Amino acid sequence: MAEKRENSVLFSLRELQQIEEERITEEEEARRRAEEERIRAQMEAERRAREEEERRRREEEERRRREQEERERAEREERLRLEEAERRARIEAQAELERQRLQQEMEIKKAAAMRAKPKALIAIAAVLVVSVGGLGLYAWKKSAEHEVEKQRAAERLAQVEAEKRRLAEEKAKLEAEISQVQQELDDLSKALASAQTDAEREAIRRKQAAAKQRLDALRNKGKRGGRGTGKPRPEKKDTIERNCDPNDPLCGI
């Protein structure tokens, strides 16, 4: 019995020792995990701090770079503006000097010409005055001749228009008479077809013959009128030569 109790006590002691060892192991494992977590968190914080610092450094460098580029651009534009202003000033100064030089040369030449050829200038002026006067007189004469010619042309045109109207009226009158005679012949033909006696037919034939004679006379008159009637008018001799047919009523218009 004593041996059993001893074995039981030993077993209990071993269990207690094992439990203690397990507790110690768990505590050590917990401390180890906590330490690892702390180290990992610290490393993560350090990493984030480094990244944030790197980001701020890059932003600062980018800001400085942009500022430097902006200053260089402004300096370059200002330099170009000054160079352009200087170039324009040089060109304007050169142009002004050239203008003054040309003006001085012209004044020198003018003074030399005035001293060397005063008589020639007077003669040229006299010739110009005479020429202008002659041209004025010639222009006046030409204008007067032109007005006279315009008046003559207007008179000839009026005569031609009057002659055209007269011929048109005569033609219309002649055509009306011919139409009337033709209508009379048509009526006589109808009357001849419906005549009952020889005496009636003979009378109608005589009327037809007379109407045909009038119709032929009217047609011959129309042909003569188309060729032109009336006495020829004497031609007027113009002092100005014409390059058209003298028989043309519109010649000279």
Side-chain angles (χ1 to χ4, degrees):
M1 291 294 292
E3 185 178 355
K4 287 182 180 180
R5 283 196 298 270
E6 184 179 356
N7 290 334
S8 177
V9 170
L10 290 174
F11 179 75
S12 297
L13 289 174
R14 283 196 296 271
E15 285 183 351
L16 290 173
Q17 186 178 1
Q18 185 177 358
I19 291 171
E20 181 66 19
E21 289 176 354
E22 290 178 355
R23 184 184 64 78
I24 292 171
T25 301
E26 290 177 356
E27 289 178 355
E28 290 178 353
E29 182 67 21
R31 285 195 298 271
R32 185 183 61 77
R33 287 196 299 270
E35 183 66 18
E36 289 178 353
E37 183 66 24
R38 184 187 65 78
I39 294 172
R40 186 167 54 253
Q42 182 179 358
M43 292 176 64
E44 181 67 19
E46 291 176 355
R47 184 185 63 79
R48 288 197 297 269
R50 288 194 302 272
E51 290 179 352
E52 181 66 19
E53 181 66 22
E54 181 67 19
R55 183 185 63 80
R56 287 196 297 268
R57 185 185 63 80
R58 288 197 301 270
E59 289 179 354
E60 181 65 19
E61 290 179 354
E62 181 66 19
R63 183 184 63 79
R64 292 177 180 177
R65 184 185 63 79
R66 288 197 300 268
E67 290 179 354
Q68 180 66 21
E69 290 179 353
E70 183 65 22
R71 284 194 299 270
E72 291 177 355
R73 184 186 63 80
E75 292 174 357
R76 184 169 58 256
E77 291 180 354
E78 181 66 17
R79 185 172 61 256
L80 292 174
R81 186 183 65 80
L82 292 175
E83 291 176 355
E84 179 65 17
E86 292 176 357
R87 186 183 67 82
R88 290 182 179 178
R90 287 195 301 271
I91 292 174
E92 291 176 358
Q94 291 175 358
E96 180 63 20
L97 291 174
E98 183 66 17
R99 187 188 65 79
Q100 292 178 2
R101 185 183 65 79
L102 293 175
Q103 184 176 1
Q104 290 176 357
E105 289 182 357
M106 291 177 63
E107 290 177 354
I108 292 171
K109 291 180 180 179
K110 183 178 179 181
M114 292 294 293
R115 289 193 301 269
K117 299 180 180 179
K119 294 182 179 180
L121 292 175
I122 294 173
I124 291 172
V127 171
L128 289 175
V129 170
V130 173
S131 299
V132 170
L135 289 174
L137 180 60
Y138 176 77
W140 177 81
K141 290 178 65 178
K142 282 293 182 182
S143 177
E145 292 177 357
H146 181 65
E147 290 297 328
V148 172
E149 185 60 28
K150 281 176 62 177
Q151 185 176 359
R152 290 178 180 176
E155 292 175 355
R156 286 194 293 271
L157 182 60
Q159 292 175 359
V160 170
E161 293 296 331
E163 184 68 15
K164 286 181 178 180
R165 288 193 297 272
R166 185 186 65 79
L167 292 175
E169 292 174 358
E170 290 183 357
K171 181 180 179 182
K173 182 179 179 181
L174 185 62
E175 289 177 351
E177 292 178 357
I178 291 173
S179 178
Q180 183 179 0
V181 174
Q182 287 178 342
Q183 183 63 39
E184 183 180 351
L185 287 172
D186 292 340
D187 294 340
L188 290 172
S189 297
K190 293 177 182 179
L192 181 62
S194 60
Q196 300 296 326
T197 63
D198 293 338
E200 291 178 352
R201 285 192 286 272
E202 183 63 25
I204 292 171
R205 289 191 183 97
R206 286 196 298 271
K207 291 180 180 180
Q208 284 180 334
K212 288 180 180 179
Q213 288 180 357
R214 292 200 307 274
L215 181 60
D216 292 339
L218 290 173
R219 287 175 175 172
N220 291 330
K221 182 179 179 181
K223 292 179 181 179
R224 289 195 303 272
R227 290 193 299 268
T229 60
K231 296 180 180 180
R233 290 176 294 178
E235 297 181 357
K236 295 182 180 180
K237 295 183 179 180
D238 293 336
T239 57
I240 300 175
E241 183 180 358
R242 303 296 178 189
N243 293 324
C244 56
D245 187 359
N247 295 323
D248 186 0
L250 299 179
C251 178
I253 296 177

